[in-house]
Amino acid sequence: MNASQIEKNVIALVENFNKEEFVFDLLKAYGISKTSITRLKKGDFNLSKIDGEVLYKSKMLFKEVESGALLNTIDELTKDTDSLKHNPRFVIVTDYKTLLAKDIRTGLALDTPILEIHKHFGFFLPWAGQEKYAQKNENYADRKASYKMAKLYDILVTENPNIYDDGGHNLNIFLSRLLFCFFAEDTDIFPIEGMFTDTLEQHTQKDGSDTHTFLDRLFKVLNTKDNSKEAAHFKEFPYVNGGLFRDTIVSPKFTKEARKIIVECGDLDWSEINPDIFGSMIQAVVNPAYRSGLGMHYTSVPNIMKVIEPLFLNELNEEFEKHFNDVKKLNKLINRIAKIKVFDPACGSGNFLIIAYKQLRRLEIKILARIYEVNHQLNLGFPDVYTKIKLSQFYGLELDDFAHEMAILSLWLAEHQMNKEFVNELHDYGKAEDILPLKEAGNITQGNATRLNWEDTCPKNEDDEIYILGNPPYLGSRNQDKEQKEDMKFVFLKDYKSLDYVSAWFYKGAKYIQGFNAQLAFVSTNSICQGEQVSLTWPRILNEKVEIGFAHQTFKWTNNAKGNAGVSVVIVGLRNISNKQRLIYIDSHKLKVLNINAYLTGGPNIFIFKRSRPLSNIPKMSYGNMPLEGGFLRFRDDEKDKIVKDVRTLKYIRNVIGGEEFLKNINRYCFWIDDEDLEDAIKIPEINVRIKNVREFRENGGEVARTLANRSHQFRYRNEPSNNQIVIPCTSSEGREYLPCGYYDSSYISLNSVQTVYDAEPWVFGLLYSKMHNNWLSAVGGKLESRIRYSSALCYNTFPFPDINEKQKEQINLHVFEILEEREKHPEKTIGDLYNPDKMPKGLKEAHHQLDLAIERCYRLKPFESDTERLEYLFKEYEKMINKNTLLEKPKRTRKKKAK
DNA sequence: CATCCGACACCGT
DNA sequence: ACGGTGTCGGATG
């Protein structure tokens, strides 16, 4: 069934609205078969046993509720894990006046009068298998406009070579004004529709020669209160002011082509523009580095909601429902909302601020409508009402000058849109002041958030209620430039060199909210809550007397931009230490916990620090050999065939084993040349050329590489076992139940994509393969996005393992042989395939299970019942061992320090 | 010397 | 375009 047919169906449903049949009619409208619906009605498809509830597998969870309980109910239902087991795509509640729905997959929410549901028919299209229908078209207008603006921008820059002499500020303001005019003429901010474009077209030369003088003059007119003496075609333009047209700038020169494009821009329908998204897109126009992605770093609305809702919106909504019948309290709530400050210290073109603004305005509308309803029932009058929410409650800080201009502009546009909505929704009494002349703007400052004192941007006054939010830049320690490193030094003073750039925002934010009625939540790379970053970053933040109030565990960054940023993110909410509930969001589920630690799990605050030696009595783990040779000393089968045609090469060829080679069963080789053989080896042309290539590569490389240029016939490191070696891939899929490890003989050279234990007894292999260890490394190890990242310092050297006797070791050895035997039964399968969770052979699974039991018996006799229990036990053991260890090591350490 | 990391990188479909 | 899944080299301790 196509979308337009569905729309017709939904319209028909509304026209013949039938309370009893509503939910079934709705499903029918989306093409769910009659028989399914009959069985659903009869009850054998309805998985819910509660009266008034319909739970339809993978489709929806529906509930009819009393007025006033809507929000609470949907909130409860969306975290009802029993129902969510059946994967309902939507949760729907209604009192048959209003309908609330939530898309569990995307997190999008719908709030509509039930008789207007046809206007939102697209929301439920996933039922009809039309997944991204709504999304695909979502930003069509924004994109079209952005592309046109990009064209205009390009031509203006080419024609005005000196345009960047002032750093581009003049041009930024110019573009911002132009955008305002396009928007204003299409949304009745200007008195006559299309008057900007029409006037420009009629009163400028076709060759573009006087377009800039026209615009200069028009901008002056827009900044003048009394234009009665102006020429007739300018007279009609209103006074805009608001700072937007205050300063005199010089418009760039136009060509014939440029004039044509500006007219084409004007002919687009700008009323469709979403200020929240458009700003980010248009920002990409002036930032060529982002051009191809067209706003790839803007935060999508669902993701912004993930920040805003737990930070303040949910609580305000609860207040509203709590005082649903109490006009006095409702008025109080409006006054509270009108005082809230929202501050984004990395606001870009303002999309968090705009969404926050819109959401607060919508809540105000809802409250006012309710107040009216109550007063109406009491036959009380209701005077005209204006919004109390002001743009000046919104604060932003942004480094990029153009983005900061866009943020100011977009907030005005959002205000205009919300004023319209306000008047529409509260049709009899909601009033809005004229948008012109523009009054106060958002408090958006241009500057470096790491350097500036945030209280200068967003002052803290007594009785203020402040929410800090945003999506600050992420940059791993090795990707920061010199200036950013200096920023980090400025913020942290010391031990800043390995921190992610985003941590500066958390740190400054924590200091800002400390002891004040303020909270914060940022979207951040998930890296800062994994691996070494946790113990480097969080102790100093959580020392600021703040706690993690809520958190979203890792989800993949997506928006509708073309080139999505490749990163996985978390959301971390910080607040002053309190007794309030703490929530962890995992996908669409909510989890109430007693504490949220820096790994964003519900355990106690624990920090696992890197160690260079094992905590337990287990052999040393080494890194594989890093080649650092640009790939010139290594080759695969196809190349090998050619190389060995010269039999002299055979002497210098060795097998290599890296992560991918191990997991995907790939043969790979390298030249392995001892110093004393070098003279002979370079007589072979193939080898000689490769060594030269390595030298060139290293000479052009970084500091370390350059020091290695003189031994370009060798890898950077040259470690080998005497007999055998265990290899563990440094990076591997998180989908497997066990992190695969391999046993290789000494003919193999390990690569730095594996960790190795040289000449280890089999029980070490068993220990690495155990569920205990796998649980540990998933909890405390680093990740690549969500991939498992095995490192000796975090996973192996920190692992608490009891001292075991020879008999126990022998026991474990047997289980290890069992596993190796099982693996050998499937020579056609790669290790990666063998450990694919869906395809793991039964025998192998059983062998692993037996090993797990043997390993766990080393810890205690009572078997472990769950992974949670295993982890809890391990953390306790870890603390015990660390305490014992520090007691023993203390004297040594002090001496060492003195020696320095 | 010895790393853990990446607003990633790349492959296969 | 997108899900699936791991390289490689270096600034830093």
Side-chain angles (χ1 to χ4, degrees):
Chain A
M1 196 179 291
N2 66 32
S4 68
Q5 182 57 48
I6 291 170
E7 187 178 17
K8 274 181 207 160
N9 295 346
V10 180
I11 291 171
L13 173 156
V14 170
E15 279 169 3
N16 308 306
F17 188 72
N18 176 348
K19 210 167 131 177
E20 271 71 38
E21 294 289 314
F22 166 73
V23 70
F24 303 109
D25 286 346
L26 188 66
L27 289 166
K28 214 187 282 171
Y30 285 83
I32 310 289
S33 73
K34 258 187 191 167
T35 45
S36 301
I37 287 171
T38 319
R39 297 187 64 185
L40 190 63
K41 268 193 222 172
K42 264 188 1 205
D44 38 350
F45 271 15
N46 184 1
L47 298 162
S48 175
K49 300 199 170 63
I50 301 164
D51 221 3
E53 243 185 41
V54 183
L55 176 57
Y56 186 10
K57 190 174 158 52
S58 81
K59 295 284 189 288
M60 51 139 227
L61 171 59
F62 171 86
K63 186 171 183 136
E64 40 188 59
V65 292
E66 302 274 322
S67 305
L70 283 167
L71 277 166
N72 272 337
T73 312
I74 196 161
D75 214 15
E76 270 172 42
L77 292 180
T78 46
K79 58 193 176 198
D80 180 354
T81 38
D82 280 347
S83 305
L84 293 179
K85 267 185 213 148
H86 302 288
N87 274 324
R89 177 62 191 260
F90 297 96
V91 174
I92 305 168
V93 298
T94 183
D95 56 359
Y96 297 109
K97 286 185 209 114
T98 301
L99 178 138
L100 300 188
K102 188 136 188 175
D103 185 335
I104 297 298
R105 172 96 57 86
T106 64
L108 290 171
L110 176 69
D111 180 350
T112 174
I114 200 162
L115 291 177
E116 282 173 34
I117 192 170
H118 56 285
K119 291 183 187 166
H120 307 281
F121 79 98
F123 190 81
F124 299 105
L125 275 176
W127 277 339
Q130 296 177 33
E131 195 47 54
K132 284 171 183 166
Y133 180 84
Q135 294 211 340
K136 259 185 202 159
N137 293 323
E138 197 175 31
N139 305 123
Y140 181 70
D142 303 293
R143 271 190 209 189
K144 206 165 157 189
S146 303
Y147 283 124
K148 268 273 179 303
M149 284 303 287
K151 245 178 160 179
L152 179 63
Y153 171 84
D154 286 343
I155 211 163
L156 289 178
V157 170
T158 333
E159 293 303 320
N160 299 271
N162 299 326
I163 207 159
Y164 271 119
D165 287 358
D166 68 336
H169 186 62
N170 194 74
L171 176 66
N172 293 345
I173 294 179
F174 173 77
L175 290 172
S176 171
R177 289 180 184 181
L178 220 49
L179 292 171
F180 177 83
C181 290
F182 290 143
F183 187 80
E185 67 173 353
D186 286 351
T187 55
D188 63 61
I189 293 176
F190 285 169
I192 304 162
E193 199 181 319
M195 71 186 290
F196 168 71
T197 311
D198 291 348
T199 314
L200 184 145
E201 208 174 359
Q202 283 159 24
H203 294 272
T204 55
Q205 302 291 323
K206 274 230 162 76
D207 64 2
S209 60
D210 62 352
T211 305
H212 66 288
T213 46
F214 169 88
L215 289 170
D216 281 344
R217 188 157 163 206
L218 175 67
F219 291 164
K220 219 167 156 188
V221 166
L222 292 170
N223 192 36
T224 308
K225 280 183 188 157
D226 179 11
N227 283 314
S228 55
K229 284 174 196 149
E230 270 295 340
H233 60 278
F234 280 133
K235 232 191 253 177
E236 297 292 325
F237 281 95
Y239 170 56
V240 176
N241 189 27
L244 183 57
F245 294 94
R246 188 178 51 224
D247 302 326
T248 309
I249 60 159
V250 183
S251 300
K253 306 260 189 309
F254 278 64
T255 57
K256 186 180 174 191
E257 179 67 10
R259 181 180 170 280
K260 203 183 122 210
I261 294 172
I262 198 176
V263 171
E264 281 171 14
C265 281
D267 287 339
L268 296 174
D269 182 2
W270 290 75
S271 63
E272 298 276 308
I273 295 295
N274 298 313
D276 41 314
I277 305 253
F278 179 68
S280 319
M281 289 198 171
I282 204 77
Q283 192 193 334
V285 165
V286 299
N287 194 339
Y290 291 146
R291 180 70 71 83
S292 63
L294 211 57
M296 63 182 180
H297 284 179
Y298 82 83
T299 312
S300 67
V301 177
N303 286 351
I304 294 175
M305 294 306 285
K306 282 185 191 157
V307 174
I308 292 179
E309 284 179 343
L311 187 60
F312 57 84
L313 205 58
N314 287 346
E315 197 250 329
L316 293 173
N317 269 314
E318 281 161 24
E319 275 301 291
F320 168 53
E321 296 210 335
K322 205 165 103 193
H323 304 303
F324 199 65
N325 296 312
D326 187 337
V327 169
K328 224 179 182 176
K329 291 247 170 80
L330 290 179
N331 274 313
K332 230 174 152 183
L333 181 57
I334 288 182
N335 288 333
R336 177 182 160 200
I337 293 170
K339 267 186 54 223
I340 286 174
K341 288 180 177 175
V342 180
F343 174 31
D344 182 349
C347 71
S349 47
N351 53 74
F352 275 82
L353 293 175
I354 288 154
I355 300 298
Y357 173 76
K358 284 185 166 177
Q359 289 298 324
L360 290 178
R361 289 284 312 255
R362 292 208 170 112
L363 178 57
E364 187 193 33
I365 289 171
K366 251 184 359 192
I367 300 170
L368 286 170
R370 177 61 193 161
I371 292 174
Y372 178 81
E373 208 172 43
V374 174
N375 283 350
H376 185 74
Q377 283 160 9
L378 300 171
N379 285 324
L380 292 171
F382 201 97
D384 287 353
V385 64
Y386 292 82
T387 181
K388 289 194 173 173
I389 300 169
K390 303 164 293 294
L391 288 182
S392 56
Q393 291 167 241
F394 295 80
Y395 296 79
L397 197 43
E398 170 55 40
L399 188 59
D400 185 284
D401 179 60
F402 181 69
H404 123 276
E405 295 289 350
M406 282 309 302
I408 298 170
L409 175 65
S410 305
L411 276 169
W412 273 319
L413 306 190
E415 183 183 31
H416 181 61
Q417 287 184 340
M418 288 317 296
N419 279 351
K420 275 191 160 174
E421 198 168 316
F422 188 87
V423 173
N424 276 341
E425 295 286 322
L426 309 173
H427 32 86
D428 296 326
Y429 47 94
K431 298 282 182 283
E433 285 177 38
D434 283 339
I435 187 94
L436 296 182
L438 294 173
K439 286 152 217 90
E440 44 190 10
N443 296 297
I444 314 295
T445 309
Q446 188 275 324
N448 183 337
T450 62
R451 297 290 178 144
L452 295 175
N453 182 351
W454 290 5
E455 293 190 37
D456 292 340
T457 307
C458 180
K460 292 197 281 195
N461 299 319
E462 216 183 319
D463 299 334
D464 272 353
E465 178 178 350
I466 303 177
Y467 298 102
I468 302 177
L469 41 59
N471 175 25
Y474 330 144
L475 280 169
S477 64
R478 280 186 289 294
N479 294 326
Q480 292 160 24
D481 62 28
K482 251 189 172 168
E483 212 174 309
Q484 288 157 335
K485 278 273 183 252
E486 283 301 312
D487 291 344
M488 293 295 280
K489 188 177 179 183
F490 179 83
V491 173
F492 289 101
L493 304 173
K494 57 172 189 174
D495 300 334
Y496 59 90
K497 283 190 173 171
S498 295
L499 298 179
D500 195 293
Y501 200 47
V502 74
S503 62
W505 271 259
F506 279 101
Y507 186 62
K508 291 190 78 164
K511 282 190 167 172
Y512 183 101
I513 65 170
Q514 195 207 108
F516 196 81
N517 184 16
Q519 295 184 41
L520 75 78
F522 291 128
V523 183
S524 161
T525 169
N526 64 353
S527 301
I528 66 161
C529 296
Q530 296 171 342
E532 68 167 3
Q533 287 295 315
V534 174
S535 54
L536 291 172
T537 308
W538 288 99
R540 58 214 298 181
I541 291 173
L542 297 174
N543 263 346
E544 297 292 330
K545 292 178 188 144
V546 297
E547 65 182 17
I548 301 176
F550 78 91
H552 265 275
Q553 287 187 352
T554 298
F555 57 95
K556 224 170 154 59
W557 177 271
T558 48
N559 61 27
N560 285 332
K562 255 175 138 192
N564 250 310
V567 62
S568 291
V569 293
V570 293
I571 296 170
V572 183
L574 291 179
R575 66 184 183 205
N576 285 280
I577 289 172
S578 77
N579 299 321
K580 285 186 223 155
Q581 70 167 357
R582 296 162 174 84
L583 285 175
I584 298 179
Y585 295 77
I586 308 164
D587 299 323
S588 51
H589 300 261
K590 272 191 228 175
L591 201 66
K592 273 187 200 164
V593 292
L594 293 173
N595 184 57
I596 302 176
N597 61 29
Y599 295 93
L600 305 188
T601 55
N605 282 329
I606 192 166
F607 302 104
I608 308 294
F609 288 84
K610 288 199 283 189
R611 295 181 61 91
S612 51
R613 303 155 194 281
L615 177 63
S616 310
N617 200 2
I618 48 180
K620 179 181 160 24
M621 179 173 283
S622 321
Y623 288 81
N625 295 297
M626 182 188 293
L628 188 48
E629 35 67 290
F632 291 113
L633 291 180
R634 282 168 295 162
F635 46 91
R636 300 210 170 154
D637 279 330
D638 49 346
E639 276 180 279
K640 189 193 174 197
D641 294 344
K642 282 180 226 154
I643 290 168
V644 295
K645 279 182 186 153
D646 186 338
V647 289
R648 290 175 299 170
T649 56
L650 283 169
K651 183 180 170 191
Y652 305 111
I653 294 177
R654 293 282 294 271
N655 297 313
V656 296
I657 184 73
E660 204 160 14
E661 288 76 18
F662 168 56
L663 289 166
K664 296 180 182 165
N665 205 6
I666 298 167
N667 296 324
R668 209 172 176 193
Y669 315 89
C670 72
F671 285 117
W672 194 257
I673 302 162
D674 291 331
D675 287 337
E676 64 262 30
D677 293 331
L678 177 59
E679 223 174 290
D680 273 340
I682 54 174
K683 287 179 189 154
I684 304 167
E686 175 74 29
I687 294 180
N688 193 29
V689 169
R690 283 172 179 263
I691 293 174
K692 274 189 182 150
N693 284 335
V694 175
R695 176 182 278 274
E696 197 190 331
F697 172 81
R698 287 184 176 166
E699 278 169 348
N700 293 317
E703 227 171 290
V704 184
R706 288 198 297 276
T707 65
L708 295 170
N710 283 328
R711 44 173 279 246
S712 290
H713 56 294
Q714 290 176 341
F715 281 13
R716 178 180 178 185
Y717 295 108
R718 290 169 58 78
N719 298 315
E720 287 181 74
S722 317
N723 297 310
N724 59 56
Q725 53 194 329
I726 297 173
V727 303
I728 309 130
C730 289
T731 324
S732 63
S733 167
E734 69 275 30
R736 305 183 181 116
E737 201 173 334
Y738 297 94
L739 168 61
C741 322
Y743 238 124
Y744 284 84
D745 65 42
S746 57
S747 71
Y748 282 84
I749 301 293
S750 62
L751 295 177
N752 68 331
S753 48
V754 292
Q755 302 270 346
T756 58
V757 184
Y758 291 129
D759 303 311
E761 291 173 58
W763 65 267
V764 181
F765 190 82
L767 151 91
L768 291 169
Y769 243 139
S770 68
K771 210 175 235 177
M772 289 300 261
H773 190 53
N774 272 268
N775 274 329
W776 181 254
L777 64 92
S778 310
V780 306
K783 304 269 168 74
L784 176 59
E785 301 229 305
S786 304
R787 273 352 55 69
I788 288 169
R789 169 166 266 159
Y790 196 88
S791 72
S792 57
L794 286 160
C795 304
Y796 184 77
N797 294 342
T798 60
F799 184 57
F801 189 65
D803 289 338
I804 55 173
N805 58 35
E806 288 307 313
K807 209 178 143 199
Q808 285 171 304
K809 286 179 186 173
E810 270 165 37
Q811 271 286 322
I812 297 171
N813 288 353
L814 291 179
H815 290 297
V816 169
F817 297 141
E818 190 81 21
I819 287 177
L820 291 174
E821 242 170 68
E822 286 296 331
R823 282 189 356 191
E824 275 162 23
K825 285 184 189 163
H826 307 272
E828 78 290 354
K829 281 192 179 166
T830 67
I831 291 290
D833 287 341
L834 270 180
Y835 284 91
N836 178 327
D838 300 327
K839 296 182 205 153
M840 205 167 154
K842 264 198 183 136
L844 184 60
K845 225 173 185 170
E846 182 54 28
H848 270 286
H849 182 60
Q850 292 306 325
L851 170 70
D852 281 335
L853 293 177
I855 292 280
E856 287 171 21
R857 271 197 299 273
C858 299
Y859 286 89
R860 70 176 197 197
L861 288 176
K862 190 175 165 243
F864 291 90
E865 300 205 332
S866 70
D867 288 348
T868 325
E869 202 188 340
R870 284 182 189 93
L871 264 181
E872 265 173 31
Y873 189 88
L874 286 172
F875 277 120
K876 275 190 196 136
E877 282 302 297
Y878 172 81
E879 288 209 318
K880 261 194 240 165
M881 291 178 81
I882 285 283
N883 287 338
K884 208 168 103 191
N885 229 291
T886 40
L887 278 177
L888 291 173
E889 274 179 9
K890 233 172 201 168
K892 244 189 201 170
R893 273 194 189 167
T894 24
R895 241 180 275 144
K896 254 189 192 171
K897 258 187 191 168
K898 272 181 190 166
K900 267 185 187 175

